Amino acid sequence: RVSGGIILAPEGINGSICGTPVAVEKVLNFIQEDDRLKGLRMIQSPVTPEDEAIHHGHTSQSPVGAGEDAPFRWDHVRVKLKKEIVTFGDPGVMPTKMVGKYVKPKDWNELISDPDTVSIFQISDLQPLHNFCSIVYKLFTLFMCQVVIDVRNMYEIRIGKFKRAVDPCTNSFREFPTWVDYQFQLVKSDTQESGVNDNGTGEPEEDLIASKSKQLPRVAMYCTGGIRCEKASSFLLSKGFKEVYHLEGGILKYLEEIPKAESLWEGECFVFDKRVSVEHGLAQGTHKLCYGCKQPVSDEDMESPKWEYGVSCPYCFAMKSEEEKERARARQRQFENWGVIGGPDKGRSPKRVDANSAVESKQLPKSI
């Protein structure tokens, strides 16, 4: 009576499981028998007794599996072995050795409500004025005391974020290091590296603001469950940032503990299971999932002519060819007709399947 997924990597463990209270407790106790995994941070989503009966009901595929309305699609727990829990792409980032300061959900509002908190000046939006913007940015950083960064991807931030938080506009977590380097001017330009002076004096170029006076801002960051912040904060510290804070337990822990009346959260939080999104108190949200691009869609999005269930949505319609859309329609028809992709036998001959089952049953000892 447990379903879900767990990721194991040299840097730690992360996962989400759904099950009866007794079954989940057994799994957690088993994991924590390993001394290296003691002290797990856990977030529990509430389930009513009525929903529990549905989530953990029997299914035709598995007598002990999760019900059809459970958050996860599988009737078992999948354990994946990976090099990284979340792919960052920088082997030098070691969250097990260096990480930012944790901020409890009850203290988060005070931190991000600091009057010196500002949004980052987006130079990338003004490429034709790049040189001018670089000067302005350097002056601007002198007065930038704190910035709040949402470490998640664009499609997650689109449906909800904290007030005054900066969206790095990343499509994947791998893009975050590049955004930081560019946004905070941590990578020297070609002109600086060559030592050429733009004013034509022939003297070594000098910044308008000496490097000694350059002050990196205090950073407060957050993500869904806190995992991405572990790596992001470690990366910022390695880049010279002195004060890096991140929300312990992520948005989910915040929504679990902070009442809506006191909350600074706006919108819903995207989650990577069949619930799609959650609200305050971790109640299921209103968003659905586009199975064409795996992005969340609202009721308003589904009114668009670009929305087609199982095929496309306003966010992926233009990126898909007609051939891709037709393949998606074929898969959707198979699922609607048979309940599985590929038909009732998933491409296998029923007779062959029955024959193999008969052979296996004869080979098994009677004691099993």
Side-chain angles (χ1 to χ4, degrees), residues 84 86-90 93 173-177 228 231-232 235:
E84 299 179 82
V86 284
T87 304
F88 193 69
D90 186 344
V93 173
F173 193 41
R174 275 180 172 272
E175 297 175 8
F176 184 75
R228 278 175 280 191
K231 289 204 160 185
F235 173 74

Side-chain angles (χ1 to χ4, degrees), residues 292-350:
C293 63
K294 302 297 187 295
Q295 292 195 37
V297 289
S298 64
D299 292 338
E300 185 179 354
D301 293 329
M302 290 186 280
E303 295 295 327
S304 167
K306 297 178 180 179
W307 163 259
E308 185 177 351
Y309 184 79
V311 179
S312 65
C313 72
Y315 305 103
C316 67
F317 182 86
M319 297 185 291
K320 292 183 174 293
S321 66
E322 282 304 316
E323 182 181 356
E324 290 174 317
K325 293 172 186 174
E326 193 51 48
R327 284 202 302 267
R329 293 185 186 104
R331 287 196 299 270
Q332 187 59 29
R333 286 194 296 269
Q334 290 176 349
F335 187 79
E336 291 173 356
N337 291 334
W338 306 107
V340 292
I341 303 299
D345 306 304
K346 298 183 182 179
R348 295 170 294 178
S349 168

Side-chain angles (χ1 to χ4, degrees), residues 57-68 73-75 338-340 346:
H58 292 230
T59 66
S60 58
Q61 290 81 14
S62 171
V64 296
E68 293 181 359
R73 301 190 186 107
W74 301 93
D75 291 328
W338 306 107
V340 292
K346 298 183 182 179

Side-chain angles (χ1 to χ4, degrees), residues 172-241:
S172 70
F173 193 41
R174 275 180 172 272
E175 297 175 8
F176 184 75
T178 303
W179 177 82
V180 169
D181 286 342
Y182 179 74
Q183 194 66 64
F184 293 98
Q185 302 281 291
L186 301 180
V187 177
K188 291 183 179 180
S189 66
D190 294 337
T191 304
Q192 287 175 314
E193 290 175 355
S194 62
V196 176
N197 190 326
D198 288 339
N199 60 21
T201 62
E203 298 175 1
E205 181 183 292
E206 294 182 1
D207 290 336
L208 292 176
I209 301 171
S211 58
K212 289 183 180 180
S213 64
K214 181 176 180 181
Q215 182 179 357
L216 292 171
R218 179 174 65 184
V219 173
M221 58 175 60
Y222 65 90
C223 56
T224 307
I227 296 297
R228 278 175 280 191
C229 285
E230 300 277 344
K231 289 204 160 185
S233 65
S234 181
F235 173 74
L236 290 183
L237 290 171
S238 71
K239 285 290 184 176
F241 287 79

